[in-house]
Amino acid sequence: MTHNVSMKPAQKLSKNLPVPLKRLADLAYNYWWSWTNERVFLFQNIAPQEWERHGHNPVAVLESASYERLTQLAEDPFYIKQMSALVAEFDQYMTQQDTWVSRVAPQISGERPIAYFCAEFGIHESLPVYSGGLGILAGDHLKSASDLGVPLVGVGLLYRQGYFRQRLNRSGWQEDYYIDNPFHQMPLELIKNDQGEPLTIKLEIRQRLVKVQIWRVQVGRVKLYLLDTDRPDNDPIDRWLTGHLYGGNQETRIAQEVVLGIGGVRALEALGINPSVYHLNEGHAAFCTLEIARLEIERTGKSFYDIEAEVRNSCVFTTHTPVPAGHDVFSPDLMDSYFAHYWHQMRLSREQFLALGARRLGDPWEPFGMTVLALRMCRAANGVSELHGQVSRKMWTILYPDRSEEKVPIGYITNGVHAPTWTAPLMADLYAQYFGEDWKTHAVDPQMWAKVDQIPDEELWWRHQVLKERLIAHTRFKIKKARAERGEDYSRIEATETLLDPKVLTIGFARRFSPYKRGDLILRDAERALKIFGNPERPLQIVFAGKAHPADEEGKRIIQRLMEWCQHPAIRNRVALIEDYDIYTGQKLVQGVDVWLNNPRRPLEASGTSGQKVCFNGGINCSVLDGWWCEGYQVGQDGKGINGWAIGEDAHTSDQELQDRIDSQSLYQLLEEEIIPLYYDQDANGISHGWIQMMKASIKTNAPLFNTDRMIADYVTQVYAPGCSASVTPTLAKMFV
């Protein structure tokens, strides 16, 4: 294994800090700090303006802070006491040997870790290599793996400009732009060899040799390796292979997936890492199965068909979407361009090679599907909710002609969220008071969450109101800034000071503006929507956020329609859209809204996790029964929801107009007859005890199930090391003790 003997970035940073602050460098280079309660004050207090200017990047803040300011903090006993306590907690966390996984699945060792491949990772807003739900889920996967002590390494790509940035022009139309990520000012480490040079691996891409360098990100105890082709010794075209996430054409996409899949396996080999399991999180990384096979053929001299079962036994696959556009396929001609040199190394003919990714065998025009390749080459496959498992079995039954639909070997593990990341520190403090300081390590324990009933209504309510006020302040700040940058009238800019009202029932809707997610469904009946939002006695307000893919014209039109509503004179203080949605804005939304709205067309939402985040903060879901909400929604004896609301009914029709009408009418009825009356049924102190009862139900029924500690436990016991424990999840909490 090669390693760098020169000074690490954290050591270099530490040299420039006053003695009492030197350990801040260790924290800055490990994203563990981002899921502690102290994340609010630790780096922001050094230089609040620099913190905002650098996108909440702790390394950049420490590097840019004046020595005078650093010495001020070094003599502040309160700051030093808080920092020292956090450092002690960090050291204990990083050196802990007796972890959950060491007791449940000791056969998963650090010598043979799990390798988790994904095209995007949403760890924190200061590492913008994510676009949305897939990346956020991957980031939460790494965090819970770290918390539970699962030996796991992540493998992804380091994008020079990440996903596109969003701004809206004066007509409300989305414009896309990109900015370079300052890698050398970020919590990253470029891996170097014994000579102090960047460690690289080589790939042949369209008859050109491409060198790929490797960066390391520390996520608690988990290492995330990100591959980067932006090197001066590469062709200018190849330097941009890792330029943009989900950008470019089919050629860019296949080249990126070669770097991720084949390059990822070679990078692990160069690092001396020999995984016991390769986990493909979505089909983008499916080429890794080919490289695993090629290496084994090279090592043993056997044929592909002799080692195929062995390769399959080491690979597992998670599919994340029933939307066809989410499953990459490449034409045979494109595969020829990128793999004509490769199938010979696997001792396969062109026809045999292309058959690995073909849905229908024998058709020379059949495209090569990445999901098909993953399903063929992995021993286990799963969807991300119970309903999605069913949909996936139906979707891919063509690959299993000898099996009935229910016997198609695709199971499910329902997604969850990383509770410490998404729970507001103000709520985490409340849970610590009533559940115990160690509540985060018992996230799967329903008995612990049942103690939410012991929290006084007034206590829960005022904390929720503070978080709502914080959301409104953030929304005003972002929209004021956007209006000023668009050059809008001074009166419009100043009007943001009265935008939204903390006393008003607040809905949140934040996700990618894809047409099937129906971001403007609530405004479908304009006259009825105006009456609901503009009711002077029981008003309603909503905050939108999200991006449309640069190629999605209909998604951009939805955003434009919403922007028109933001300017409607009757409700312009009741409707807001935050531009350039990121993790930070997402946190403020899920922590501050009263109701989370989710209304995709069934059954196209594989899981969805934003609504799960809301539950940890006392928010309540109002959603179509799709994805995770089919499992989370609970009904009382009166037939009404006890922990949220369900929109509409499945008309079992292909008539989208009819389904939209049914669902929008159902949503309006829920708002008018249940949601709004319950919220405004308040006592003399302005508290709705009926609402708080539903808040508590939302917390205690959903939090124990829809967290990534439970999800990781399922992956360990069902996928990574099946058979290690017959029934681990119900007793997971006890195993943390």
Side-chain angles (χ1 to χ4, degrees):
M1 179 177 178
T2 56
H3 59 88
N4 178 24
V5 295
S6 62
M7 190 176 291
K8 302 286 186 182
Q11 293 173 317
K12 290 182 180 178
L13 180 58
S14 177
K15 283 189 66 177
N16 298 320
L17 299 177
V19 172
L21 302 184
K22 286 189 178 296
R23 291 301 306 279
L24 277 178
D26 295 327
L27 295 175
Y29 273 94
N30 190 320
Y31 275 106
W32 173 85
W33 68 266
S34 70
W35 67 86
T36 66
N37 281 354
E38 289 74 13
R39 62 182 180 260
V40 174
F41 96 97
L42 184 65
F43 296 109
Q44 183 179 16
N45 280 10
I46 296 172
Q49 290 182 332
E50 291 297 294
W51 179 249
E52 294 302 323
R53 188 169 73 87
H54 290 292
H56 305 168
N57 175 352
V59 171
V61 167
L62 286 172
E63 288 182 344
S64 63
S66 70
Y67 197 69
E68 180 184 10
R69 175 56 182 155
L70 293 173
T71 54
Q72 286 175 352
L73 289 171
E75 66 172 3
D76 181 343
F78 177 77
Y79 188 89
I80 295 302
K81 183 178 179 180
Q82 294 292 99
M83 189 204 81
S84 299
L86 193 63
V87 166
E89 184 183 343
F90 172 68
D91 288 341
Q92 182 180 12
Y93 179 93
M94 293 299 292
T95 57
Q96 183 184 358
Q97 299 295 318
D98 185 23
T99 62
W100 172 80
V101 85
S102 70
R103 295 188 291 275
V104 175
Q107 65 269 46
I108 306 177
S109 70
E111 295 179 358
R112 299 287 310 279
I114 312 299
Y116 183 83
F117 284 66
C118 193
E120 52 173 306
F121 285 89
I123 307 295
H124 186 258
E125 61 268 18
S126 64
L127 184 63
V129 292
Y130 63 92
S131 73
L134 178 68
I136 303 302
L137 185 280
D140 284 5
H141 192 108
L142 298 194
K143 292 172 184 177
S144 269
S146 172
D147 289 344
L148 300 188
V150 179
L152 183 145
V153 296
V155 180
L157 301 181
L158 185 63
Y159 302 97
R160 175 174 165 180
Q161 297 186 337
Y163 198 48
F164 77 93
R165 306 293 296 270
Q166 176 197 53
R167 60 176 166 236
L168 305 178
N169 63 26
R170 297 188 73 167
S171 69
W173 190 253
Q174 174 180 292
E175 296 177 344
D176 319 323
Y177 70 101
Y178 293 89
I179 59 174
D180 282 351
N181 286 316
F183 295 155
H184 291 282
Q185 271 194 307
M186 294 168 65
L188 304 167
E189 179 186 358
L190 181 62
I191 304 298
K192 296 183 179 180
N193 60 24
D194 292 331
Q195 289 72 46
E197 297 296 323
L199 178 66
T200 61
I201 55 102
K202 297 176 182 178
L203 295 168
E204 184 179 332
I205 298 179
R206 293 212 73 170
Q207 291 80 53
R208 289 192 301 271
L209 187 68
V210 179
K211 288 185 177 180
V212 184
Q213 58 194 13
I214 308 164
W215 299 76
R216 180 167 58 212
V217 182
Q218 199 69 40
V219 186
R221 289 183 280 231
V222 167
K223 292 177 173 61
L224 169 60
Y225 294 101
L226 299 176
L227 311 184
D228 169 26
T229 64
D230 186 17
R231 291 177 48 84
D233 50 1
N234 281 333
D235 185 284
I237 294 175
D238 297 325
R239 295 187 69 170
W240 280 100
L241 289 180
T242 53
H244 302 129
L245 171 60
Y246 303 144
N249 54 22
Q250 282 285 87
E251 292 232 3
T252 304
R253 179 63 67 91
I254 192 173
Q256 286 187 337
E257 296 185 2
V258 167
V259 175
L260 175 62
I262 297 176
V265 173
R266 293 182 186 178
L268 291 175
E269 184 181 39
L271 291 163
I273 297 171
N274 183 21
S276 59
V277 176
Y278 295 83
H279 184 170
L280 287 57
N281 194 44
E282 199 46 281
H284 307 116
F287 289 143
C288 83
T289 62
L290 305 180
E291 180 65 7
I292 297 166
R294 189 194 67 80
L295 288 173
E296 189 63 16
I297 292 166
E298 183 181 83
R299 186 181 69 83
T300 64
K302 295 180 179 179
S303 73
F304 171 79
Y305 298 106
D306 288 334
I307 56 90
E308 183 180 9
E310 185 178 340
V311 173
R312 186 181 294 112
N313 194 50
S314 67
C315 299
V316 299
F317 171 57
T318 300
T319 177
H320 281 266
T321 179
V323 179
H327 298 271
D328 288 338
V329 295
F330 302 114
S331 70
D333 288 345
L334 197 57
M335 291 298 293
D336 287 343
S337 297
Y338 282 82
F339 285 94
H341 71 286
Y342 194 87
W343 57 67
H344 301 294
Q345 299 175 46
M346 296 180 65
R347 302 185 182 181
L348 293 175
S349 67
R350 176 181 182 274
E351 291 70 25
Q352 290 171 323
F353 182 84
L354 294 179
L356 295 173
R359 290 183 68 188
R360 291 181 296 271
L361 299 177
D363 183 349
W365 304 108
E366 177 72 14
F368 190 98
M370 297 297 280
T371 300
V372 175
L373 175 63
L375 289 170
R376 286 219 169 98
M377 295 299 294
C378 293
R379 64 169 163 82
N382 67 277
V384 289
S385 69
E386 184 174 12
L387 177 60
H388 181 229
Q390 297 171 10
V391 171
S392 296
R393 287 190 289 276
K394 182 176 183 178
M395 187 174 185
W396 298 107
T397 186
I398 189 172
L399 299 182
Y400 308 94
D402 57 337
R403 300 184 185 224
S404 60
E405 183 179 307
E406 61 270 17
K407 296 293 185 181
V408 169
I410 302 176
Y412 78 93
I413 292 176
T414 302
N415 282 345
V417 301
H418 186 243
T421 293
W422 297 101
T423 304
L426 196 63
M427 291 297 292
D429 175 69
L430 182 66
Y431 296 154
Q433 289 182 37
Y434 286 89
F435 302 166
E437 292 289 340
D438 61 346
W439 73 270
K440 295 176 184 176
T441 61
H442 293 72
V444 303
D445 185 359
Q447 294 180 344
M448 181 194 77
W449 290 106
K451 294 178 183 177
V452 75
D453 288 332
Q454 299 174 13
I455 300 174
D457 286 2
E458 295 77 10
E459 181 81 5
L460 183 59
W461 186 254
W462 81 256
R463 290 180 187 248
H464 175 67
Q465 286 299 109
V466 169
L467 293 171
K468 190 198 291 191
E469 289 175 6
R470 180 69 189 94
L471 165 62
I472 290 173
H474 177 70
T475 304
R476 289 173 177 173
F477 171 79
K478 294 281 285 186
I479 291 178
K480 184 175 185 177
K481 184 171 179 284
R483 288 179 180 178
E485 290 175 351
R486 280 195 293 271
E488 295 191 20
D489 293 339
Y490 178 78
S491 60
R492 284 276 295 156
I493 296 171
E494 290 303 302
T496 56
E497 298 301 323
T498 57
L499 179 65
L500 307 176
D501 182 343
K503 295 185 176 66
V504 170
L505 173 61
T506 304
I507 293 177
F509 182 99
R511 51 188 44 84
R512 180 163 49 90
F513 278 103
S514 179
Y516 83 85
K517 293 179 182 283
R518 300 188 295 184
D520 56 351
L521 184 71
I522 195 171
L523 307 177
R524 189 176 185 277
D525 184 333
E527 184 178 350
R528 195 167 178 183
L530 281 172
K531 288 181 180 178
I532 294 173
F533 281 98
N535 187 320
E537 296 181 359
R538 299 190 307 183
L540 179 69
Q541 60 192 16
I542 188 167
V543 182
F544 293 98
K547 301 176 179 180
H549 187 278
D552 185 356
E553 297 297 304
E554 179 54 32
K556 292 179 182 179
R557 279 191 285 271
I558 292 172
I559 292 175
Q560 189 174 42
R561 288 195 288 271
L562 293 177
M563 286 296 286
E564 290 170 0
W565 271 82
C566 292
Q567 299 177 40
H568 194 290
I571 58 169
R572 59 184 160 205
N573 283 340
R574 297 282 179 257
V575 182
L577 193 154
I578 302 175
E579 295 178 29
D580 208 27
Y581 183 41
D582 65 0
I583 287 177
Y584 185 72
T585 291
Q587 286 178 322
K588 294 293 162 277
L589 276 160
V590 299
Q591 293 167 3
V593 298
D594 297 305
V595 175
W596 193 254
L597 181 62
N598 181 45
N599 42 234
R601 290 197 176 97
R602 303 174 194 82
L604 299 181
E605 185 87 322
S607 173
T609 56
S610 54
Q612 298 172 349
K613 301 173 179 104
V614 169
C615 299
F616 286 89
N617 296 285
I620 306 172
N621 280 273
C622 178
S623 173
V624 164
L625 283 173
D626 197 9
W628 79 275
W629 191 230
C630 294
E631 301 164 52
Y633 179 59
Q634 294 188 10
V635 180
Q637 292 182 346
D638 60 357
K640 295 183 178 180
I642 62 172
N643 63 350
W645 297 275
I647 299 171
E649 59 185 47
D650 194 344
H652 300 288
T653 177
S654 59
D655 186 341
Q656 294 183 353
E657 184 71 18
L658 172 61
Q659 190 67 62
D660 289 354
R661 185 167 69 249
I662 292 172
D663 289 343
S664 63
Q665 295 302 317
S666 170
L667 175 57
Y668 294 139
Q669 187 173 355
L670 282 172
L671 289 168
E672 293 166 337
E673 299 179 7
E674 297 186 36
I675 299 174
I676 294 174
L678 181 63
Y679 183 85
Y680 287 106
D681 182 16
Q682 299 176 353
D683 64 16
N685 296 317
I687 297 176
S688 172
H689 295 279
W691 187 270
I692 294 173
Q693 182 180 351
M694 187 169 275
M695 287 174 67
K696 291 179 176 179
S698 175
I699 295 170
K700 67 186 179 184
T701 60
N702 293 312
L705 292 174
F706 302 108
N707 63 77
T708 41
D709 283 2
R710 186 275 310 155
M711 184 189 81
I712 289 290
D714 284 348
Y715 275 109
V716 168
T717 59
Q718 298 177 34
V719 178
Y720 297 159
C724 68
S725 177
S727 179
V728 65
T729 303
T731 57
L732 185 60
K734 296 176 183 176
M735 295 186 185
F736 288 162
V737 178

